[in-house]
Amino acid sequence: MLETNVDQKSFKFKIVLLGEGCVGKSSLVLRFVENKFSCKHLSTIQASFQNKTVNVEDCQADLHIWDTAGQEKYHALGPIYYRGSNGVLLVFDITDRKSFEKVKNWVLEIKTCLGNTAEILIVGNKIDLEEERQVTRQDAEAYAESEGALYMETSAQDNVGISDAFESLTAKMIEHSRTRSTEPPSTNRSIRLIDNDEAERSKKCCR
Amino acid sequence: MNVPMISLDATDTDEDENNPKTTTTNFRRNGSVRKVREIQIDVSIGEPPSSGSLGAVISRFGRSQSLRRPPTAAATTAPKNNGKNDENLPTPQSPGSTRSASPSPSFIDISPMLRTASLRVKNQLASRLSEPLKKAENRISRLLATEPDADDEQFQHYSLVHGLRGFNNNNQGEAEDADSSSDEDDPEYLELMERDSIINRYEKGPDAADVDAWENPNFELYTNLDRFGFVHKKGEKATADERTDLQKRRIIKELSREKKWLKMIEVWKSGGPSKKMEDRIWKGIPEKLRIVIWPRLLGAERLKHERRDVYAELLLRARLVSKDIKQIDLDINRTYRDHLAFRKRYDVKQKSLLNVLAAYSMFNTEVGYCQGMSQIAALFLMYLDEEDAFWSLHQLMVSPKHTMHGFFVPGFPKLQRYEEHFKRVLKKYKPRVYKHLEKQDIPYIYLTKWWFGCFLDRVPFSLALRLWDVFLVEGDCILIAMAYNIMKMHEKNVRKHNMESFMEFIQNDIAIDFGYSDDEVMHSLRETLSKLKSDRQHVPPPPRPEDLSEVPTKALGPILQKPMASIRDEIHEIQSRRSRANSTGRSPYPKRKESARGAGAPKGPPPVQHKWNGNASQDSILGNGGGGGAGGREVPFEIPTRRAPNGSPAAAAPTDAYNNSKNGALPPSGSSKRDFVQSSNTPTTTTHSSSSHRYQHSNSSRGGTPLAQRLRDERSGQVVLLSRASDSEPDVGSPMTNTRDSDWNGSAAHISTATSRITHSGNHITRIDLDGDVSVI
């Protein structure tokens, strides 16, 4: 399916955006895909899908971007969204420490559910509100490093760092995909992912 | 200084207990109007407050759990480093006490618990706080200097400045650097502040200066308003039937229909709609008549009359305590902002939306507020008033036909059940579509959005309205039928799409232009539905007994059982835990609240007092609630409704409840009403919530005569005798010197100021509101 080899130049990746409500997940996607910023009219979207092709170095990657609802209550639907993801974008709002704590929860959950199959990029959004910052860059970077994740800061409003963020995640996914595909040549990854997911689901029920 | 301390012993206590008929007075009524400065003392920390750590001590204090320390232990916490103050003038005179002090000795004897409230500790704390207070004062003065407008808040700031100034004058020197407690300390407090500031923004409305410009849409972008009130971008393609010729025909048709409908409504006395009416509903309820028909179809109208006060009472409480306010506010900012009614931030309809959702979050507590509800409530509010919208939302959640509760309750049990059934239906009737979707590995997540809002935002609005008309009549079989109908009508399209284009098609394309006229869609839907019905496929099998319940299992509106007074007490308690932050002026909100409280003191207003411009009925409630508890007003509340999972065979037992809900009603409110607030003259009046708990206060001293007051701790039965210098009315004739003396002998404390109230909260914090300040022990 998504298996590739070192020479492959075109990829297909599934990316899911997770994070607390109103941290700017949808805005990031909107900015990235359509280069628009809308600070209000977006109604809460329970699950939406966007598609965009990016070029990283000499490779072309087709990104399927899944945007999710932020409210805690929709957390339960998380597994449906991130099942089979190659990349996870965990978004938090640098002016809201709580949203950063939420990212930590997501990292735990993603690691349990997807294991090492997905690359994680942590995004601190809303850097246009620098003066209200509550989470320092150092903190976030240190945390991301400890979890083996990337960290980037963006502003969907001012269009800062967004394509960088998606591109570096893509680069990492390409690298990941190449090493994976050379390592276990016969494994069908998608099946393995579903297994993981099922295991996690039962775990969630007990919680 | 010469005040003798009289310890109340057991005899006194008994005597007091035998005397329960003394008039209970609201403390706040007697309490001074002056600024309340709050000081917290943590007895349980058990370390002498050394100069440097004092701030930390105080900040930790709010969360202290172990309070009832033996007096000896408490004694050791008495300040040791404040020796010079001990002998002479231990009392920092707050502005209040100076004005109201009485020459007569006052006594107070306090239960062992209260004994720990050493005046010395208080003095010391007061003096240590003076520096931060001064800082706050400066900050506020600056604020005032730059913004001379005398609006409400500034006036309150102003009064605060005076309060602080007076206080500081009496507390010169001993500036101690106390580091500010961190704001992350007390999540409850932060939440309270956040909630309050949000509510206030809605109260102020759209014209307040502090609405961020970005929160309002750029009106120039919009020139074209459709008949439903949605604004479209210039040049944006109008939906099919907005074209002029069609529009004319539609108007003529609708006018003729309206007449028929009006006749029909006249004879529609009760019960469900007739067959004829159902037919007509399938043709679309006339736009003007949805205001009447929708609530009646849902049974919301009847519910509203049966539970007249419930909404208002809920709202009153919800605005003070709902934990969902923040999320609701975030979503209001993104709900139908392209509709005339909701486009202006904090405007009336946005406020109504906040009210309905906040009230509902406290009514059906299992659901609370869940994203997706804002669209539904907003849709109702386009046609109905707040209260109708509230009950319609409720009926939509719980009535057996709709049970949207199952969609919104955590775990989304109904979503799973319906999704499985939808797959079955698709597989059975449109196997090729089903196979295509499976082959393309297209997940069914679009169903969430389809069903949670009954296709709102996913089909053109005019079609969504038609769907809602029949959804209200037919119930949730419409959800399955319409989902299938979309696949059926667009079969060819769907089978062409791959994953990417399918999502685009489902999310956006058919929402802009469905590709068929509304009437065609409705016709097809009706056929589809009757086909499904005849095959008994229109609804999924009922939930299994082990599934999560799709109907409420908990009592509705539990908050209604809580008197406003105790809600206010709790809020006050949270605030006083944070008094440290207040006095350093870190947050603007507490100040406003304190002064609001002071200003209305004769009426005993809540610490958080909102101005209710929106809803006339609330004023009366507020007024009633002012005099200690809810002032004997009956507040109906729901008894637990144990209802069976919808249609579950295992749940045949509670049929009566089920039948009730079948009629769209909850158990009759008559039987579930009870007085929870008795007359304020009975000493045992206020029912106490587990977490707040007030001393009864018997006061026979009016007009400055120093008389003993009895405070009774209702939980322990202990009685505290409190002698007051005066009623602390500033205009009491004689010049009075406040004599607060402390005869500290290790276990007894004397506080001889006018005490307004003693609150004893669930987490073992006892708060004494003195007229000048508040202690928490």
Side-chain angles (χ1 to χ4, degrees), chain B residues 496-509:
Chain B
K496 272 189 290 188
H497 287 304
N498 63 8
M499 156 92 161
E500 293 87 354
S501 56
F502 175 80
M503 288 310 294
E504 177 69 20
F505 174 74
I506 286 292
Q507 280 177 179
N508 302 322
D509 295 355

Side-chain angles (χ1 to χ4, degrees), chain A residues 152-171:
Chain A
M152 312 274 289
E153 293 197 339
T154 62
S155 162
Q157 184 172 324
D158 300 347
N159 197 6
V160 177
I162 289 169
S163 39
D164 282 356
F166 279 94
E167 277 161 21
S168 32
L169 181 63
T170 309

Side-chain angles (χ1 to χ4, degrees), chain B residues 424-432 484 491 531-532 535-537:
Chain B
R424 270 195 298 271
V425 168
L426 202 61
K427 200 174 180 179
K428 180 171 173 173
Y429 296 97
K430 292 286 167 206
R432 284 190 291 184
Y484 166 48
E491 180 176 359
K531 170 76 179 147
L532 288 175
D535 293 352
R536 299 190 163 277
Q537 291 293 328

Side-chain angles (χ1 to χ4, degrees), chain A residues 42 49 64 66 71 73-74, chain B residues 334 367 371 445 500 507:
Chain A
L42 289 178
F49 170 83
H64 293 183
W66 292 88
Q71 196 188 8
K73 288 183 175 157
Y74 284 92
Chain B
R334 320 182 256 185
V367 166
Q371 285 187 324
I445 56 173
E500 293 87 354
Q507 280 177 179

Side-chain angles (χ1 to χ4, degrees), chain B residues 260-261 264 273-282:
Chain B
K260 293 183 203 164
W261 270 90
M264 194 164 57
S274 63
K275 184 79 189 78
K276 191 174 180 188
M277 185 179 273
E278 268 184 35
D279 284 342
R280 284 181 174 165
I281 289 171
W282 274 93

Side-chain angles (χ1 to χ4, degrees), chain B residues 426-724:
Chain B
L426 202 61
K427 200 174 180 179
K428 180 171 173 173
Y429 296 97
K430 292 286 167 206
R432 284 190 291 184
V433 175
Y434 176 78
K435 271 182 206 146
H436 177 77
L437 295 180
E438 291 289 306
K439 198 177 149 206
Q440 291 293 321
D441 204 15
I442 295 171
Y444 288 85
I445 56 173
Y446 50 90
L447 293 173
T448 319
K449 183 71 184 165
W450 275 4
W451 289 340
F452 278 44
C454 185
F455 301 95
L456 277 176
D457 302 341
R458 286 295 187 256
V459 296
F461 190 73
S462 62
L463 177 57
L465 281 174
R466 298 283 299 273
L467 290 172
W468 271 81
D469 290 342
V470 293
F471 177 53
L472 298 187
V473 179
E474 298 279 347
D476 41 21
C477 56
I478 291 293
L479 302 177
I480 294 282
M482 184 61 192
Y484 166 48
N485 189 42
I486 292 176
M487 295 299 183
K488 187 174 139 189
M489 295 184 88
H490 291 291
E491 180 176 359
K492 278 182 192 160
N493 260 327
V494 168
R495 285 174 53 201
K496 272 189 290 188
H497 287 304
N498 63 8
M499 156 92 161
E500 293 87 354
S501 56
F502 175 80
M503 288 310 294
E504 177 69 20
F505 174 74
I506 286 292
Q507 280 177 179
N508 302 322
D509 295 355
I510 58 170
I512 294 165
D513 186 351
F514 195 80
Y516 296 91
S517 76
D518 294 352
D519 287 330
E520 284 170 311
V521 177
M522 295 310 287
H523 184 74
S524 167
L525 174 64
R526 203 170 186 191
E527 275 181 355
T528 307
L529 182 64
S530 59
K531 170 76 179 147
L532 288 175
K533 272 184 173 169
S534 66
D535 293 352
R536 299 190 163 277
Q537 291 293 328
H538 62 296
V539 282
R544 287 160 303 194
E546 70 267 22
D547 288 345
L548 288 169
S549 172
E550 294 180 15
V551 294
T553 55
K554 288 184 184 158
L556 295 168
I559 191 77
L560 287 173
Q561 295 175 49
K562 207 183 244 187
M564 285 302 291
S566 72
I567 292 173
R568 284 170 193 146
D569 283 353
E570 277 165 32
I571 287 169
H572 207 102
E573 193 263 315
I574 296 170
Q575 285 173 331
S576 62
R577 286 206 309 251
R578 296 283 307 176
S579 62
R580 180 82 177 83
N582 294 358
S583 57
T584 53
R586 287 175 62 90
S587 160
Y589 308 114
K591 289 173 209 145
R592 186 183 51 71
K593 266 172 218 138
E594 282 181 15
S595 36
R597 176 175 162 233
K603 216 178 112 192
V608 184
Q609 190 180 32
H610 296 293
K611 286 164 233 92
W612 300 90
N613 336 327
N615 199 331
S617 64
Q618 285 148 5
D619 287 327
S620 65
I621 292 158
L622 199 68
N624 269 325
R633 183 190 176 85
E634 267 196 4
V635 180
F637 65 95
E638 308 283 346
I639 58 169
T641 48
R642 306 201 100 264
R643 262 182 293 137
N646 194 8
S648 159
T655 31
D656 54 339
Y658 191 69
N659 284 340
N660 271 327
S661 62
K662 213 166 208 135
N663 299 330
L666 295 158
S669 64
S671 64
S672 63
K673 274 188 184 182
R674 96 182 147 89
D675 261 347
F676 62 76
V677 180
Q678 295 150 20
S679 142
S680 63
N681 279 342
T682 326
T684 52
T685 70
T686 333
T687 10
H688 290 288
S689 68
S690 58
S691 61
S692 177
H693 170 134
R694 203 205 274 196
Y695 285 81
Q696 288 305 316
H697 175 198
S698 326
N699 175 23
S700 48
S701 84
R702 302 293 299 158
T705 325
L707 275 181
Q709 297 176 340
R710 295 175 183 91
L711 302 174
R712 194 156 74 91
D713 177 348
E714 284 195 340
R715 185 179 294 165
S716 62
Q718 279 173 329
V719 169
V720 173
L721 184 66
L722 173 70
S723 287
R724 301 173 48 118

